[in-house]
């Protein structure tokens, strides 16, 4: 909970020495409470006061990291309930299970299928972030050997799933440098699991069936010296889980209830691939930091990963492409030239439809601050001047000989003014980008 100015004042030396640049300690405390000053500006503050103030200033939800190098995963440290209030910061990490009952070729194929779960969408790579090795064999040695194989065969972050401290200890012994996420500590195994996590500097998942039990468990784990904790609610229906996850979010962000101020992990391992995708997508929206699924079906992952991408994009900053000329195929001086806006979704839709036409073309992308054609036009970000400026800046005259420009059908109304501004023939293209193949093949000659 954030401290008030008076509460901070009680922790200061109260000498009014002015070294901080403020006339009094009270004035400094008031500035600190409003986050207009830094504690380091007072050279005489005690260590004890520093610790109390640092704890109070800690984010309401802890940032937890696992994995190493370029594939390190970060979850947590969210600040709002709804993305339109600000934005969500650390995208939900999707993980896929690999059973330690698999051996040889079957294990190799499963790891390869998980590694392959990656796509390009609107110019961005989206992919699975972790492999969750499950101790289904019941053997600590087999679990450790499988975890070691996964670590060698995949760059994805590692989650070790076992209720047995003995099995976790054996697997961490083979994978510690990969900083695996240890899952899960239950009330009866908390002490042993926390010791392994602390000794190996790994984050730990705390698992319990209710918010009350989870709060007690995280306090117990924290008392053992483990700070990086991930929360997991076990044994609830999807509906109850979504309700409890929402309650946890409120308690951590609005009430700054520290025992639940951690990111969350959910398992979706029942049902067919499409059912798992539907459940996982709900949990991505509210409010799982990590979702572990059982399916490795490509078709199930595109909606899940697209949901993550959409939910965690900044609502105030549309995803944009660089404003420039993009060749599609191998266009020459006789190829069509058209323009669209730099909103990624618009651009990539147009680009794929032009590609489908098999007519090599140039697409001039006009900077409309990441807005779509109609939005840009109605906001006066797309007009004859912005298009003329983009044509000059990108020197399109040097690309084509014909002096014809195809414009989106939705802004046919600007054709007259644009023709006057640039002195080119303006051809009105189709309203819908999906009609571009027919247009380029039949109208463009
Ligand atoms: Fe008070 Fe510290 Fe500022 Fe001195 S430097 S006035 S002790 S807050």
């Amino acid at each position: 909970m954030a401290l008030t100015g008076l509460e901070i004042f009680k922790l200061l030396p109260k000498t009014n020495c002015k070294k901080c640049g403020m006339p009094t300690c009270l004035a400094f405390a008031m500035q600190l409470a409003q986050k207009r000053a830094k504690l380091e500006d007072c050279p005489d503050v005690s260590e004890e006061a520093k610790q109390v103030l640092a704890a109070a200033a800690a984010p309401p939800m802890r940032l937890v990291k696992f994995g190493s190098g370029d594939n390190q995963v970060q979850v947590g440290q969210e600040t709002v309930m709804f993305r339109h209030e600000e934005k969500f910061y650390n995208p939900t990490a999707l993980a896929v299970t690999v059973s330690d009952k698999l051996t040889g070729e079957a294990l190799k194929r499963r790891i390869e299928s998980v590694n392959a779960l990656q796509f390009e969408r609107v110019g961005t790579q989206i992919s699975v972030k972790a492999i969750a090795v499950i101790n289904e064999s019941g053997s600590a040695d087999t679990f450790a050997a499988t975890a070691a194989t996964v670590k060698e065969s995949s760059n994805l972050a590692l989650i070790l799933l076992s209720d047995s401290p003995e099995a976790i200890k054996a697997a961490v012994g083979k994978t510690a440098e990969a900083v695996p996420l240890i899952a899960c500590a239950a009330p009866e195994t908390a002490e042993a699991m926390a010791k392994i996590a602390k000794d190996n500097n790994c984050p730990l998942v705390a698992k319990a069936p209710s918010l009350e039990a989870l709060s007690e468990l995280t306090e117990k784990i924290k008392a053992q010296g483990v700070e990086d904790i991930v929360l997991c609610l076990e044994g609830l229906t999807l509906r109850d889980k979504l309700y409890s996850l929402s309650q946890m979010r409120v308690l951590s962000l609005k009430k700054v209830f520290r025992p639940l101020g951690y990111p969350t992990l959910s398992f979706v391992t029942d049902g067919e691939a499409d059912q798992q995708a539907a459940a996982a997508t709900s949990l991505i929206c509210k409010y799982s930091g990590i979702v572990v699924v059982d399916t490795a079906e490509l078709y199930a992952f595109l909606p899940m990963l697209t949901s993550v991408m959409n939910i965690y994009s900044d609502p105030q900053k549309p995803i944009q492409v660089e404003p420039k000329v993009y060749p599609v195929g191998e266009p020459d001086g006789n190829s069509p030239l058209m323009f669209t806006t730099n909103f990624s979704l618009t651009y990539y839709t147009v680009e794929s439809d032009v590609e489908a036409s098999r007519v090599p073309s140039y697409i001039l992308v006009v900077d409309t601050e990441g807005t779509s054609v109609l939005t840009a036009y109605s906001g006066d970000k797309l007009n004859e001047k912005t298009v003329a400026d983009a044509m000059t800046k990108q020197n399109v005259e040097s690309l084509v000989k014909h002096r014809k420009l195809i414009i989106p059908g939705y802004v046919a109304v600007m054709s007259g003014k644009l023709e006057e501004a640039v002195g080119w023939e303006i051809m009105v293209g189709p309203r819908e980008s999906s009609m571009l193949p027919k247009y380029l093949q039949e109208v463009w000659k």
Side-chain angles (χ1 to χ4, degrees):
M1 188 89 65
L3 296 179
T4 64
L6 278 178
E7 286 167 332
I8 296 171
F9 172 66
K10 287 178 191 161
L11 297 165
L12 296 176
K14 303 187 201 69
T15 57
N16 297 332
C17 71
K18 301 186 178 58
K19 289 182 211 163
C20 59
M22 294 288 152
T24 62
C25 293
L26 182 59
F28 183 66
M30 293 302 172
Q31 293 293 309
L32 267 184
Q34 290 169 38
K35 303 198 184 328
R36 289 191 191 141
K38 297 192 296 292
L39 187 61
E40 305 85 84
D41 293 341
C42 171
D44 301 329
V45 72
S46 69
E47 277 309 312
E48 187 195 347
K50 274 185 197 167
Q51 281 177 11
V52 175
L53 289 166
M61 185 191 293
R62 190 172 175 85
L63 181 72
V64 174
K65 301 174 185 176
F66 65 102
S68 58
D70 292 344
N71 295 299
Q72 187 183 63
V73 173
Q74 294 195 164
V75 286
Q77 210 169 71
E78 300 300 338
T79 55
V80 289
M81 294 294 298
F82 306 105
R83 70 190 278 275
H84 62 259
E85 293 175 307
E86 191 176 307
K87 65 176 237 179
F88 294 162
Y89 285 91
N90 288 297
T92 301
L94 290 176
V96 182
T97 57
V98 170
S99 170
D100 70 348
K101 279 186 172 173
L102 294 174
T103 55
E105 273 304 304
L107 176 60
K108 192 172 160 218
R109 278 200 304 277
R110 176 71 175 179
I111 297 169
E112 282 170 0
S113 68
V114 180
N115 287 341
L117 293 171
Q118 45 189 295
F119 306 84
E120 186 181 323
R121 183 173 180 269
V122 291
T124 304
Q125 283 294 127
I126 50 178
S127 64
V128 158
K129 298 294 179 201
I131 291 186
V133 184
I134 301 193
N135 182 207
E136 288 184 321
S137 69
S139 156
D141 290 343
T142 305
F143 183 53
T146 308
T149 303
V150 169
K151 176 176 158 277
E152 291 309 314
S153 315
S154 177
N155 289 323
L156 297 170
L158 195 59
I159 301 175
L160 300 175
L161 280 175
S162 176
D163 290 333
S164 156
E166 185 199 355
I168 289 289
K169 190 174 180 184
V172 171
K174 305 245 181 197
T175 59
E177 69 271 27
V179 195
L181 173 63
I182 297 173
C184 301
E188 59 280 9
T189 57
E191 206 171 308
M193 291 287 198
K195 181 168 182 350
I196 300 166
K198 185 161 188 278
D199 289 350
N200 293 280
N201 217 8
C202 295
L204 178 62
V205 180
K207 176 178 75 172
S210 67
L211 300 192
E212 293 76 15
L214 212 40
S215 311
E216 282 174 25
L217 184 55
T218 58
E219 291 293 276
K220 197 170 170 183
I221 291 170
K222 206 173 159 197
Q224 300 275 315
V226 176
E227 299 278 348
D228 291 329
I229 301 171
V230 174
L231 308 175
C232 176
L233 281 162
E234 64 169 344
L236 299 182
T237 62
L238 178 61
R239 178 182 168 281
D240 289 344
K241 196 174 279 186
L242 290 169
Y243 181 72
S244 295
L245 285 166
S246 300
Q247 277 188 310
M248 284 161 74
R249 184 85 157 203
V250 171
L251 286 167
S252 64
L253 298 190
K254 302 288 183 194
K255 306 289 181 192
V256 196
F257 183 60
R258 298 287 181 195
L260 294 178
Y262 301 98
T264 55
L265 176 148
S266 300
F267 292 103
V268 182
T269 49
D270 292 333
E272 299 297 319
D274 52 347
Q275 293 168 313
Q276 290 188 28
T281 301
S282 303
L283 290 160
I284 288 162
C285 295
K286 291 191 179 298
Y287 283 105
S288 279
I290 304 165
V291 178
V292 180
V293 297
D294 194 35
T295 179
E297 294 285 353
L298 269 173
Y299 76 85
F301 271 86
L302 191 55
M304 289 190 272
L305 291 167
T306 300
S307 300
V308 174
M309 189 181 186
N310 288 344
I311 300 281
Y312 283 85
S313 63
D314 186 342
Q316 286 156 45
K317 285 189 197 153
I319 308 170
Q320 304 178 21
V321 293
E322 187 187 348
K324 64 177 189 179
V325 175
Y326 292 83
V328 179
E330 291 181 8
D332 58 27
N334 298 312
S335 300
L337 168 71
M338 67 203 79
F339 81 74
T340 189
T341 71
N342 71 328
F343 177 40
S344 278
L345 205 53
T346 301
Y347 168 74
Y348 283 103
T349 306
V350 171
E351 189 223 29
S352 73
D353 288 326
V354 172
E355 204 171 338
S357 76
R358 299 184 184 279
V359 178
S361 307
Y362 292 107
I363 304 175
L364 168 66
V365 169
V366 180
D367 185 358
T368 56
E369 298 171 24
T371 52
S372 62
V373 171
L374 276 181
T375 309
Y377 181 73
S378 47
D380 206 25
K381 289 174 183 152
L382 182 66
N383 52 43
E384 67 282 3
K385 186 168 181 319
T386 53
V387 176
D389 288 350
M391 290 173 73
T392 307
K393 193 169 173 191
Q394 301 302 332
N395 195 18
V396 294
E397 275 195 354
S398 66
L399 295 176
V400 291
K401 303 172 191 161
H402 49 65
R403 304 293 182 268
K404 292 177 186 170
L405 177 67
I406 302 168
I407 71 171
Y410 276 119
V411 289
V413 67
M414 69 189 281
S415 59
K417 283 187 178 173
L418 184 57
E419 200 159 290
E420 276 176 30
V422 300
W424 286 39
E425 179 185 339
I426 303 302
M427 297 178 70
V428 177
R431 285 184 159 217
E432 298 299 333
S433 151
S434 57
M435 298 304 290
L436 271 169
K438 190 172 161 62
Y439 180 89
L440 291 173
Q441 285 160 6
E442 296 178 10
V443 180
W444 173 265
K445 295 262 179 3

